[in-house]
Amino acid sequence: MSMTQDELNPTRDTEPITNGQSAVSTLTPPAMRLENVSVSFNGRTAVRDCTFNVASNRVTSLIGPSGSGKTTLLRSLNRLHDLTRSAKVEGKIMLGDIDIYGGSLPPTLLRSRIGMVFQRPNPFPTMSIYDNVVSGLRFNGIKKKALLDEAAESALISAALWDSVSSRLKAHGSTLSGGEQQRLCIARALAVEPEILLMDEPTSSLDPISTQRIEELMVELKNRVTIIIVTHNMQQAARVSDDCAFLLMGEDRAGELIEFGPTTKIFNDPSDPRTLDYIQGRFG
Amino acid sequence: MTEESSSTKTRLLSRGLTGGIHPPVKSDLGYWLSIRAGALIFGAAIVLFVWSILHQSLSAWTSHGIHILTGTVWSPSTSNYGALPLILATLITTAVALLVAVPIGLGTSLTIIFFLPQRLKTPITSLVELLAAVPSVVYGLWGLFVLVPWMNTTIEPKLASITGGGFPFNGATNGFGLLLASIVLSVMILPTIVAISRDVIAAVPHEQIEGALSLGATKSQTLLKVVLPEARTGIFGAITLGAGRALGETIAVAMVIGSNPQIPKSLFSTGATLSSTIATEFGEASGAQLAALGALALILMVITASVNAGARTLTRRALRGHA
Amino acid sequence: MKKTLRGTLAVTFAAGALLSTLAVSAGASITSDISLTSAQQGVSFSSDGSSFDEPFFNSAIPVYLTESGNTKVGLYNPVGSTQGKKDVSNDVVQLGASDVPLGQVSSDFGSGFASGDKLSNYVQVPVVFGGVALMYNLPSITKKFPKYPVILNASTLAGIYAGKITTWNSPSICALNPRIVTTTTKKVNGKKKTTSKCALPSTTIVPVYRADGSGTSYIFMDYLHTTDPSVYTTSPSTTFPSPNSNSLGAQKNFGVANTTETTPNSIGYVEYSYVLQQHTLPAARIVNAAKQTVTISSKSISADLNNIPTPSETNGAVSNFSAVNGSSAGAYPIAGFSWAIVRADLSTDSGFSQDQATVLVKFLDWAVQSTSSGKSGGQNIAAEEGYVPLPSKVVAWARNEIQTIKYNGNANFANLGS
């Protein structure tokens, strides 16, 4: 994995934002619980022993240097590793009361409850903007045009894209700019109305202005969806996330969870010296 | 980082290749000249080739005129040179062959890429590619000795019972005919379709597949709604090449189609294609018959060129949709 | 043992022939492949043409050339009669073979022939006399009535191949086959009464014919048209018209034999040796001009030979050569000569030396005789391959013709004896 632009040139060294919701909520049950989650490929462990709760309607960020297994961990949450024959996920991942690897929830159903936005915008190039947004609904068997129209509009509004594309819904998704394409992908994920939205470095290929808009969007969206974001950009983690998990590559090159807690605590008063080193930029 | 540099390289490369209208710098002169000379020779060869076929068939066109295209009887012994039965048989066998080979070929490609364990991919792929290396006369003999009896006793009666003896599975069943020719052709064009479609399907970015799956799509939805549409221009190309091979195949078709030119009444009808007729009759033909065979060659060439042009238009139209 | 080996060889050759001709006719350059293999330097002479003659030439040429101490044997290539004629015209081969003499078909000396070529440039001699068999595929009848092959006559054959008789149990075929019946015995008023009914199936006849041009087709059409011109109206040519929509075209004798074998209810015409050598189907018995039912055999094919008029020749044009519908007792009626065509002056083929020319005419002289200077001649080999030795007056005529072949203007330059 190569380093991103942001990491090399931290252009925006703004103070970490605290947004008043930093205390872990004890009132609502966690959206997801990870217990001793390990992922291995061909018997080689890539990330191990991750145990933490993802709180509902908050943004949880996964940070850490390259190779610390952030993305690997994220992809285990919607069973994307199923595609890789050599991959093995151990431990328990609970979505509410359901063990997602337990067999009771089919992966397709799981993925309609846990959406995902990728590092590079990946709208379906053969589909129009409209078709892209409703593609998830169509995959899930919804055919009624009125329903699709309504969902498309609402998802595009949520993704702050409606105003700019409402007049050209039949245009191809690839005609949009990079930032718009990523918001289209967010709209596409939101249209299915997932409980959780996984975001894998969603702004790493975008310019600063587009990045800012996506960040603003995340903060708006958390009222209706729980967000888990992998980011290389610590300022971003500080700006948008409420909780933060810090991963680091261990001696056997497997990623480990070093510390988990409210973002303000991780950034201002980490309990582990390695977290402090990373936050202060001593390695990574 | 690596992305940045590789895209720069691509840009430089494409500039180098497309910017050829400018006079070349001195060091490139040899390269520039040899490319142009090659193109010129190639173009001249094509012109000469078309002209020679035209010349060969000229007397047929002047003496029979449009009747060659519209005439329904091809019978050299009575000086009847109507190629309509041959044109129809050519188009029908090619269409049916594609109808059979395209779904099977695409299915094979998708299976190889997405469903086979790694250790089986190479053997299965080389097995399919082996089919391309089999000489067509072997397909003909296989059709003659293996498929004819089987079609005759099993397949054709079964198909006829499906439609209750109705179209397109009506008429006498004796194994030989358009259906068998189509089946043999479909096997022959399968490796072409698999080889090309496999490459273009494998080139569909993994992000697209993950994007679909993460929306709750099943594997088959992902393949049908995302992967295949994205690979469609390449698949078009595969189908066009397959069609080209089917249109032009001679020997295998000649051996199984029944070599009995007639306006087909069903898929069980015997017939003869343009190319199989040329192959069958060329050796013994002279005079008017030879000219008429030249006319068949010209018709076949026009059909093949039209298929290619049609496919190119479709591809361009499909490409225009997205940059 | 010898027979089996020859049979195997013939199958191999026939298969090779089919493959090579198909492959060759698919391309534009018809002859280059052949000349590469058979006209290599030092080979005495090259030959190709009719597939009717293929079993004969490919047995006779090696025998003659090795016996005469010549080891450079160029095998005969069965590319078809018309191609053989064209190849000899273009000096691709020195011996072309055709089931129809040169000059009988309108397309001769048309495109594909050397420009300015004409009939008087050639000498043509009959080399083999053979019969055309009708193989049929009616397994149940063959099994039930093994002793009674199906009988056909001129008018039923004409009807079948004109597409007018379409079922096996049509009255005219049934009438010819009184032995192929099912008999039922009933008691009527205390008396036993036996009725018999034609056992031939009501299935559609599939006539198999040569889709490519062929001398075998010419002989068969000659027979059909000579015996029943009112039903079979097409005059003989090398291209056989498709009888009807049920019929199947096939390539070469080999292809017709195989198509007939794989297609139930079919009937196909092939040179007799193809029935002898490799195929399991029975041949139909034919009613001849003397109203006798005849089984095809070397004996029946030859029965009328002595009544066949001797061919005559003027300026290269051969006439009086039709041999179908012989009226002698026991004569099989579908038969004909096949012809070797060589240049009247072999020196006109530049590069063909007098030594080579001598080998060629000596071979021809040997090929048309049964005994040649006390030794076994080519016609004995023809007999082994299922052809019929030429009758003595035809041999005499042919040898006479061979002696007119010149080299540099000298007739009988090889000093052939009488």
Side-chain angles (χ1 to χ4, degrees), chain B residues 75-77 137 144-145 148 152 172 174 176 251 254-255 258-260 262 270 279-287 289-290, chain C residues 19 25 30 79-83 86 107 111 209 211-213 237 239 241-242 244-249 251 258-259 262-264:
Chain B
S75 173
S77 54
V137 67
L144 196 60
F145 291 120
V148 166
N152 195 349
N174 50 30
F176 294 91
I251 295 155
M255 290 167 83
S259 300
N260 183 12
Q262 56 178 313
T270 52
T280 304
E281 295 182 4
F282 192 81
E284 297 281 306
S286 44
Q289 192 183 358
L290 202 60
Chain C
L19 306 197
S25 49
I30 293 112
V79 291
S81 292
T82 308
Q83 193 57 45
K86 286 181 197 168
S107 60
S111 55
Y209 65 100
D212 51 339
S237 76
T239 317
S242 162
N244 60 23
S245 66
N246 302 317
S247 47
L248 288 173
Q251 283 77 28
N258 275 303
T259 301
T262 49
T263 312

Side-chain angles (χ1 to χ4, degrees), chain C residues 224-311:
Chain C
L224 297 176
H225 188 69
T226 307
T227 52
D228 208 338
S230 62
V231 176
Y232 202 83
T233 49
T234 322
S235 40
S237 76
T238 49
T239 317
F240 203 91
S242 162
N244 60 23
S245 66
N246 302 317
S247 47
L248 288 173
Q251 283 77 28
K252 307 294 161 196
N253 274 306
F254 175 81
V256 172
N258 275 303
T259 301
T260 311
E261 274 201 321
T262 49
T263 312
N265 307 311
S266 65
I267 181 167
Y269 61 90
V270 287
E271 200 276 314
Y272 175 46
S273 62
Y274 285 82
V275 179
L276 271 189
Q277 284 164 349
Q278 41 179 322
H279 294 285
T280 52
L281 291 179
R285 304 178 73 200
I286 309 292
V287 180
N288 68 9
K291 304 271 183 255
Q292 294 164 308
T293 304
V294 184
T295 304
I296 189 166
S297 67
S298 298
K299 197 175 160 224
S300 64
I301 296 169
S302 63
D304 194 52
L305 267 181
N306 292 323
N307 290 332
I308 291 171
T310 306

Side-chain angles (χ1 to χ4, degrees), chain A residues 75 78 83 85 108 111-112 114-116 118 120 122-127 135-136 139-140 172 174 188-189 192, chain B residues 1 3 114-117 206-208 210-218 221 225-226 229-230 232 321-323:
Chain A
R75 288 161 66 89
N78 69 344
L83 294 181
R85 265 165 211 275
T108 51
R111 294 187 193 121
S112 67
I114 305 183
M116 187 161 184
F118 295 82
R120 283 212 313 217
N122 60 348
F124 302 127
T126 57
M127 294 185 195
S135 58
F139 290 144
N140 289 295
H172 274 269
S174 49
R188 184 174 72 180
V192 195
Chain B
M1 276 280 284
E3 233 160 63
F114 296 108
F115 298 100
L116 282 186
H206 208 242
E207 297 145 34
Q208 301 296 340
E210 292 188 338
L213 289 172
S214 69
L215 287 165
T218 61
Q221 282 174 329
K225 300 277 165 64
V226 175
E230 189 153 358
R232 68 193 167 180
H322 59 99

